[in-house]
Amino acid sequence: MDDTPGSGQDFPVIARFEVRRRSYLAPDGAPLRALPSFASDLDLLLALYRGMVLTRTFDLKAVALQRTGRLGTYAVSLGQEAVSIGVASAMREADVLLPSYRDNAALLWRGVKMEEILLYWGGDERGNCSSGPPHDFPFCVPVGSQAPHAAGVAYAFRLRKEPRVAVCLFGDGATSKGDVWEAMNFAGVWKLPLVFVANNNQWAISVPLKLQTASATLAQKAIAAGFAGEQVDGNDVLAVRAAAEEAIAAARAGGGPRLIEAVTYRLGDHTTADDAARYRPPEEVQARWKEEPITRLRSYLVSRKAWGKSQEEQLAAECQERVEAAVERYLATGPRAPQTMFDHLYAELPAVYA
Amino acid sequence: MDDTPGSGQDFPVIARFEVRRRSYLAPDGAPLRALPSFASDLDLLLALYRGMVLTRTFDLKAVALQRTGRLGTYAVSLGQEAVSIGVASAMREADVLLPSYRDNAALLWRGVKMEEILLYWGGDERGNCSSGPPHDFPFCVPVGSQAPHAAGVAYAFRLRKEPRVAVCLFGDGATSKGDVWEAMNFAGVWKLPLVFVANNNQWAISVPLKLQTASATLAQKAIAAGFAGEQVDGNDVLAVRAAAEEAIAAARAGGGPRLIEAVTYRLGDHTTADDAARYRPPEEVQARWKEEPITRLRSYLVSRKAWGKSQEEQLAAECQERVEAAVERYLATGPRAPQTMFDHLYAELPAVYA
Amino acid sequence: MPELTLVEAVNLALARAMADDADVVVLGEDVGVNGGVFRATAGLQRRFGPERVVDTPLAELLISGLCVGMAAQGLKPVGEIQFMGFLYPCIDQLVNHASRLRHRTQGRLTCPMVLRTPYGAGIRAPEHHSESTEVMLAHIPGLRVVVPSSPERAYGLLLAAIRDPDPVVFLEPTRIYRAVKGEVEDDGEALPLDVAFVLREGRDVTLIAWGAMLKETLAAADALADEGIAAEVIDLATLKPYDEETILASVAKTGRCVVVHEAARTAGFGAEIAALIAERGLLSLLAPVARVTGYDTIVPLPRLEQHYLPSVDRVMAAARKVVGFG
Amino acid sequence: MPELTLVEAVNLALARAMADDADVVVLGEDVGVNGGVFRATAGLQRRFGPERVVDTPLAELLISGLCVGMAAQGLKPVGEIQFMGFLYPCIDQLVNHASRLRHRTQGRLTCPMVLRTPYGAGIRAPEHHSESTEVMLAHIPGLRVVVPSSPERAYGLLLAAIRDPDPVVFLEPTRIYRAVKGEVEDDGEALPLDVAFVLREGRDVTLIAWGAMLKETLAAADALADEGIAAEVIDLATLKPYDEETILASVAKTGRCVVVHEAARTAGFGAEIAALIAERGLLSLLAPVARVTGYDTIVPLPRLEQHYLPSVDRVMAAARKVVGFG
Ligand SMILES: Cc1ncc(C[n+]2csc(CCOP(=O)(O)OP(=O)(O)O)c2C)c(N)n1
Ligand SMILES: Cc1ncc(C[n+]2csc(CCOP(=O)(O)OP(=O)(O)O)c2C)c(N)n1
Ligand SMILES: [Mg+2]
Ligand SMILES: [Mg+2]
């Protein structure tokens, strides 16, 4: 702190801030400290685990579909499953999710069907008219542009005194966008029931975090908007879930917004249109595999004797089967008539276009 | 700090920040602590004083011109003269100023002629082709939109290894704009020679600071961009000048950007098109007159026996005279031919428009 | 019936919509205590409270993005952008979200928002306060773009815009905010969007304009009448989607057309109208379609802005020319 | 002479400009090590260093604003926006600053910047990656808007854009980034801006297009020739300011015109061309000016996008119709 301006002189300190980092499980699954209370609910932990494994199975299948020409560009969440699952699992159905394009895990958790997600990335608008909560937002492609929507949604909750919370996910790259900034600032002023989650996977396509921002953490960006930020180990689904639970509860209780920085790593290419080998060494990726969330939770579950080889095999088979069935439904979805491109342009097509 | 997320548990603190407030002179002009070294230079202090008085004389005259139909909408800097003067006086000629629309004082200090400023607000583009340093930017009207320019200018200095600094001024309202955010973030990444100055005059037209942002200080917004912010008493020209001097020197030396929040008060209406009585009580304004910068510096100068009644009268007369002379030159500026509206649209007018 | 200015009619429509429907929320810079820099929202905050008449931070992108989020939740937000010159940061939200939220979710989420902004030159305002780039918005599928030209139409069209289930950009011509008065009954009756208004019938030439330019256009029609030229005057009012049939029917009758707008000429909305006629009305055309517009340059600061704006004379000259053609 | 794709020609021009002029700086998202998501900047960072080939944070407004600041200092920044769908946050900087910096300072500060972006549909890309809203930019006085349609023109026009003393938006048609090859000599020769290219002469009908639509338009012209219709094909190339004379001269000869663009129809740039002809070429017109365009709807996701884009058939049908008219 000695380099703060004026620190050599006797000017009074008028504001102090700090950022903490939350984690429960070490990369090898060993508890680092007392676990959050929900961790005693084994069914919940197993559900989190299943959610992550299903997501990964789905993701890998989607890539395979893309590689064989049966899907468009696709963004995997490989290695980041804990962030979306941890956050989504802390939400209520009535809450509103505003995801980025990489939050498959959250969508699946909230009831969106796999074939719908495939339909979307397969180039069909019907994928967005999904089976998840009807008030949830679809994937957002223009980076960060969903943040102001989240503030609008949360404002509606506040105005109508509904005990609901908006949850907005975005990447480290998105934190550089003015959109996110303006939304955070507004959320601070109105103490909105809104939780921002920055998925810090270290990369925005080829741009590493250090070229994205000089801030030591992303969590501290909340300080600028007058509310608190917290960093969590984003590969520790318990940490993500606990932080999200606390933040959502606080927001629901009128405590205002919070920013959660979930530190994780993008193990895959940015999308199927990307080749990450061009800009980052395979060794870096290799090293990060040691920290990934699925093995971590499994190790913990195994250590609690709650999981074993046979369950793992069964789960793998089950996920595979569900994914394959969904793929079949996706591939069987018939084409749409060209003129449907005018459907839903307006509530009623203006006469002049008819 | 007890409400930081995770503070109830033993999660480690990974980042700490603090913001200090710099001030030297109390509202009554009494020194609060050891003054900055430049304060021993009486000529400089007198120059600062003269600059502020000239600005105020000019501002009041401009309002009078507007009221009598001889000038367009005009934004006075009444009560805020110390910010612009303090900052401008810390700059070198080769540095680049990127002002807001309320920084008359800075422009005048940098050599822009009063009649040019009048010409601009009188509705004539020639006012922007001014006698100040040719590389300075003109007033910026779209709030905050000059901040990315400042980053571009500072980037050019860095690239060319020129020992120059860009100085960007904006208001408290501007800190809500994504433009400012994006520029600050970029300046942090590239450690640009760029000093941001937030003129916190408590109001953005009718919107008070507490509806503008929930952050306790504007200075702390720099934390989000990974560099330091400092609050200064913006009615204390010594504090502004000292903070600007330090920040500019640091930036010139490669230390990267800094944000200075200068806390002051808009004693006047937002512009001549505004009636502040509609939204803020006269008592509030009255109370703030006790803190304004000109009386403060004068009290200090008087206490140092460096100033007295006769000098004051002489200065008043001199300022009046200079302003009147400028007004005369302004009013004598002839009209332009209508077709000059096509001048400087492009370097050469495309044939198709000729 | 009281005589109101256009800006008062806007205020009346806002008050009416807010009183009728608790979902209507007004938001923007200075719209609260201050009642808007043009007083369009005067009195609303006192009446409906600071949560329904929201003074936002200074951030236009935010205002438009908030509207999208609120609208998706079923509110009917009416955002104000202080001047059209500050609306550009909203374009991303308008193009990428507001205009297509319904389409991209196939009707699951909708966006019943209105974004209002004063627009146009001629009020001796500072730099960046004289924009009329309506064509940029009128090109965007999924939006509606509406421009009133009288107090009555301001009231009725704004009510329609607020009630419309889709996003509407509502452009209020600053130059005639107070320059025209008209009787406005606060009957809660909306006017149709998508329909152009024939303000004056005539058989010699069709003059088409919108917003503040109707002032010069109607004045030109008056003066042309003295010269024996009967001009039909159409207020396009809704630019997107626009009423092609009224235009074509009029040109079928007159055979001659002058489009008037203050925006820059190249690729202004006048081009669309001329193109429509060149495509579907060519056979009725007895003369080239003339465009009387602002010039392809930066709108000059006040000292020259009157030379930039189309004048009554320029409209008349164009009308005379097409009438005298061939 | 090597055969290059259009995107390789862009790369070549950038390298050439950077080698020739130390003031040229390339900036944008992923333009560095990664060489751009379309590889347009491949190899530049290795050759010219990370300070002249700058990977910016993810912030488009910033990129455009940085360009203005750099340009005011005499650099010649070439910003890249990853897709046109992400260019909207730049519009504020383009309209309020880039296009008028010279004008508002009466020549004291200037803005020799280029903003490049891939644009257009047809590459099976995700949502928001198929924009062609070029008309929004072409309406703005003080800007230049340039669209190459071949490797040669990409090279020559980009060099011209970078050397131009004023701001240029350079739109690169994604659909033909790699679909066409052509011989490009790296001779540092710029092509003229403000001039349309007559790619094919013909006397029966004028087909006007730009960017990727030249592909369908030229194919249509080929097929029309088989039917005995001699189409003249004009690549407009520079949309702002655009070459009116070449268009008028061609229409004076052919008497018939079809404008082709993939952008939505209403108030697209085709309207401007039709309006020009309706105003200054009416007497030569033997048939209505036809516009073959994208539809007034959101560009559909890949499954339907081919139905959105004007096809060779649609261009031919329009050409036959105007040729057969009257
Ligand atoms: C506004 C905008 N600019 C550019 C892009 C192209 N793009 C897609 S993803 C991406 C990187 C995003 O990085 P980050 O926010 O960290 O999210 P991540 O992909 O790592 O999950 C970019 C530049 C976009 N989608 N939106
Ligand atoms: C982008 C933008 N939005 C709105 C306006 C209209 N406007 C002019 S000044 C102002 C308030 C600015 O407040 P602040 O930044 O605190 O500066 P101050 O006027 O107090 O010096 C507003 C809203 C503008 N000029 N630019
Ligand atoms: Mg990332
Ligand atoms: Mg202020």
Side-chain angles (χ1 to χ4, degrees), chain D residues 32-50:
Chain D
V33 186
N34 196 35
V37 291
F38 282 105
R39 326 281 305 121
T41 57
L44 296 181
Q45 190 179 72
R46 204 169 336 111
R47 186 159 163 209
F48 300 105

Side-chain angles (χ1 to χ4, degrees), chain B residues 171-173 199-204:
Chain B
D172 43 305
N199 179 326
N200 180 358
N201 67 2
Q202 316 293 325
W203 293 90

Side-chain angles (χ1 to χ4, degrees), chain A residues 73 120 122-126 128 141-143 173 176-177 204-207 211-212 278-279 333-334 336 338 340-342 345 353, chain D residues 30 33-34 37 39 55-60 82 86 89 124 126-129 266 295-298 300-304 307-308:
Chain A
T73 305
Y120 174 75
D124 190 320
E125 287 77 4
R126 287 174 294 179
N128 273 337
V141 167
V143 167
S176 298
K177 282 284 282 186
I205 310 186
S206 73
V207 178
L211 287 179
Q212 195 66 245
R278 277 210 297 260
Y279 52 81
T333 310
R336 305 171 73 198
T340 60
M341 75 173 80
F342 299 99
L345 177 62
Y353 294 156
Chain D
D30 304 290
V33 186
N34 196 35
V37 291
R39 326 281 305 121
D55 272 323
T56 65
L58 205 168
E60 284 75 13
Q82 218 157 65
F86 312 131
R124 306 192 60 75
E127 253 187 307
H128 304 286
H129 288 68
T266 299
Y295 301 108
D296 280 315
T297 191
I298 311 303
L301 292 182
R303 278 197 172 190
L304 291 184
H307 295 280
Y308 171 89

Side-chain angles (χ1 to χ4, degrees), chain A residues 171-173 199 201-204:
Chain A
D172 44 304
N199 180 324
N201 67 1
Q202 316 293 325
W203 292 92

Side-chain angles (χ1 to χ4, degrees), chain A residues 146-158:
Chain A
Q146 75 276 36
H149 307 162
V153 167
Y155 191 89
F157 297 159
R158 186 186 185 288

Side-chain angles (χ1 to χ4, degrees), chain B residues 10-193:
Chain B
D10 66 343
F11 303 119
V13 172
I14 55 169
R16 282 204 172 81
F17 309 94
E18 58 185 39
V19 174
R20 289 171 189 264
R21 179 182 168 95
R22 182 192 298 257
S23 61
Y24 296 104
L25 298 181
D28 65 1
L32 295 164
R33 50 178 55 85
L35 299 189
S37 58
F38 67 78
S40 60
D41 177 352
L42 206 56
D43 285 346
L44 172 60
L45 297 195
L46 290 175
L48 297 174
Y49 184 70
R50 286 170 194 282
M52 294 198 290
V53 172
L54 178 66
T55 300
R56 188 165 296 180
T57 313
F58 175 71
D59 262 354
L60 296 178
K61 181 67 192 186
V63 172
L65 287 172
Q66 192 280 336
R67 299 282 185 238
T68 51
R70 289 172 297 168
L71 195 70
T73 304
Y74 183 78
V76 288
S77 58
L78 195 67
Q80 307 172 202
E81 298 87 349
V83 181
S84 277
I85 291 275
V87 169
S89 73
M91 293 173 66
R92 294 188 187 159
E93 155 110 28
D95 295 337
V96 171
L97 177 75
L98 295 106
S100 178
Y101 46 81
R102 207 186 290 286
D103 293 309
N104 317 312
L107 269 68
L108 292 177
W109 185 279
R110 302 230 345 127
V112 176
K113 294 191 180 141
M114 287 183 273
E115 57 266 38
E116 291 165 340
I117 296 181
L118 293 172
L119 211 51
Y120 175 75
W121 295 108
D124 191 320
E125 288 77 3
R126 287 174 293 179
N128 273 336
C129 184
S130 68
S131 311
H135 46 258
D136 276 6
F137 273 59
F139 288 124
C140 183
V141 167
V143 167
S145 61
Q146 76 276 36
H149 307 162
V153 166
Y155 191 90
F157 297 160
R158 187 187 185 287
L159 181 72
R160 291 170 163 169
K161 303 199 188 349
E162 293 173 345
R164 301 166 68 190
V165 177
V167 176
C168 181
L169 290 100
F170 45 77
D172 43 305
T175 65
S176 298
K177 283 285 281 186
D179 313 39
V180 171
W181 170 246
E182 296 189 0
M184 288 210 302
N185 185 56
F186 182 78
V189 172
W190 287 86
K191 278 188 160 264
L192 296 183

